[in-house]
Amino acid sequence: MDNDLESMLLKGAEEFGVRLDKGQVDKFFMYMELLKTWNEKVNLTSIKEDRDIIVKHFIDSLSILPYILPYKNSKSSRLIDIGTGAGFPGIPLKIACNELDITLLDSVEKKVKFLEECIDSLKLSKIKAFHGRAEDYGNNPLYREKFDISTARAVANLPVLLEYCLPFVRIGGIFIAMKGKSSDEVKDSMNAMDILGGKIEIIKQITLPFSDNKRNIIIIKKFRQIPAKYPRKAGKPSKMPLI
Ligand code: SAM
């Protein structure tokens, strides 16, 4: 293992209050190797350099952990990562915080096969990957309002994401939207917030360590139940966002 890369991972994680031990660091590097190998045959990520994988995938994913920890209750908290792709932010969160009970969801089956291999090879427990669409799972009583936290990174714009992600969250739980350098989508999201019972709690701009990349972390609290007709059927939220 390259010492510079290891220290980059350790220091970057520490910026967000995350202390990784040797076993956890090993898992991150195993994950990186799997990602690079699978990426040759399945389109998982355009980020290919080790350093970029560490900063833009691993550390970026860990940047939301400080907002998750207050929602950890005495039982293990349940988190669902919608449109997780190659596992971001869900797998780094699992490696860093083993007590979280994590569900990964993505609509592309090959990506889910990759996630299953990661879960197996990294010997991760209390984490499952499912193939399907947020709109369908959000209407399934086994998943609807069953999570303390939902997350999504780089999946859709905020009005669409609210319809994908809030149905999974229990009343009093949160949805964490991981956004790029602009938080402009927030002003287009007021109607969706109103309909879906969400309220912005925090908008925090961060700069990713070892880079000048800016990100916005948007925390939305769910304060009431969502009307039964949401989420609408698959494809509708993105075609006709609740703007
Ligand atoms: N979250 C990962 C990341 O940040 O690297 C992946 C981002 S990728 C650009 C968007 C992912 O969202 C894709 O893997 C896609 O299959 C998934 N996706 C898009 N719409 C979805 C939906 N309605 N339900 C489930 N997954 C969806």
Side-chain angles (χ1 to χ4, degrees):
M1 194 188 304
D2 181 320
N3 284 341
D4 289 347
L5 292 174
E6 183 177 343
S7 100
M8 182 178 249
L9 175 62
L10 288 170
K11 284 194 191 127
E14 264 175 33
E15 290 223 8
F16 299 104
V18 182
R19 284 247 169 108
L20 300 174
D21 64 24
K22 171 89 178 76
Q24 289 167 314
V25 169
D26 288 347
K27 286 190 180 186
F28 272 107
F29 280 86
M30 282 170 68
Y31 181 28
M32 182 155 75
E33 287 313 312
L34 281 170
L35 183 64
K36 291 195 297 186
T37 307
W38 273 66
N39 208 31
E40 286 165 16
K41 43 187 175 132
V42 179
N43 184 15
L44 292 173
T45 176
S46 58
I47 295 174
K48 298 201 167 83
E49 299 299 322
D50 291 1
R51 189 194 142 91
D52 290 339
I53 292 175
I54 289 176
V55 174
K56 294 182 184 164
H57 281 325
F58 296 169
I59 297 173
D60 188 26
S61 295
L62 296 179
S63 70
I64 60 171
L65 208 46
Y67 302 96
I68 291 175
L69 295 181
Y71 284 83
K72 268 178 60 207
N73 44 38
S74 49
K75 300 172 280 148
S76 60
S77 294
R78 293 191 72 192
L79 180 150
I80 184 163
D81 185 22
I82 311 290
T84 187
F88 303 112
I91 291 190
L93 292 173
K94 179 73 217 180
I95 298 173
C97 186
N98 192 38
E99 307 93 85
L100 287 171
D101 184 330
I102 294 192
T103 298
L104 306 170
L105 179 67
D106 201 276
S107 55
V108 174
E109 192 165 14
K110 280 183 190 162
K111 295 184 181 179
V112 176
K113 291 266 174 274
F114 167 72
L115 297 168
E116 285 168 347
E117 163 131 9
C118 289
I119 291 170
D120 212 35
S121 304
L122 272 57
K123 300 195 182 355
L124 301 176
S125 57
K126 285 199 297 177
I127 178 166
K128 283 200 183 97
F130 293 102
H131 168 227
R133 293 193 63 116
E135 301 93 312
D136 298 325
Y137 273 72
N139 276 309
N140 181 330
L142 292 174
Y143 299 92
R144 191 176 174 93
E145 297 201 327
K146 292 291 186 288
F147 295 85
D148 302 291
I149 301 150
S150 63
T151 56
R153 188 185 82 153
V155 177
N157 61 24
L158 197 54
V160 178
L161 277 184
L162 289 166
E163 191 168 351
Y164 286 171
C165 298
L166 275 176
F168 293 99
V169 178
R170 64 166 169 85
I171 293 168
I174 54 168
F175 161 45
I176 306 179
M178 301 177 69
K179 289 287 167 188
K181 63 173 186 274
S182 159
S183 58
D184 284 357
E185 293 167 27
V186 169
K187 62 179 182 322
D188 297 329
S189 303
M190 292 308 148
N191 188 36
M193 297 271 185
D194 209 32
I195 293 171
L196 302 169
K199 184 172 165 289
I200 301 233
E201 286 255 300
I202 299 169
I203 302 178
K204 170 84 178 161
Q205 190 176 84
I206 60 161
T207 305
L208 287 184
F210 313 106
S211 81
D212 54 7
N213 289 298
K214 303 259 189 276
R215 300 278 190 266
N216 275 282
I217 299 172
I218 305 177
I219 314 284
I220 294 126
K221 190 153 189 166
K222 177 157 162 184
F223 63 87
R224 68 167 144 72
Q225 219 165 17
I226 290 184
K229 66 175 180 180
Y230 299 103
R232 292 165 293 167
K233 71 175 177 29
K236 194 115 189 223
S238 60
K239 274 193 210 105
M240 295 182 65
L242 299 170
I243 293 179

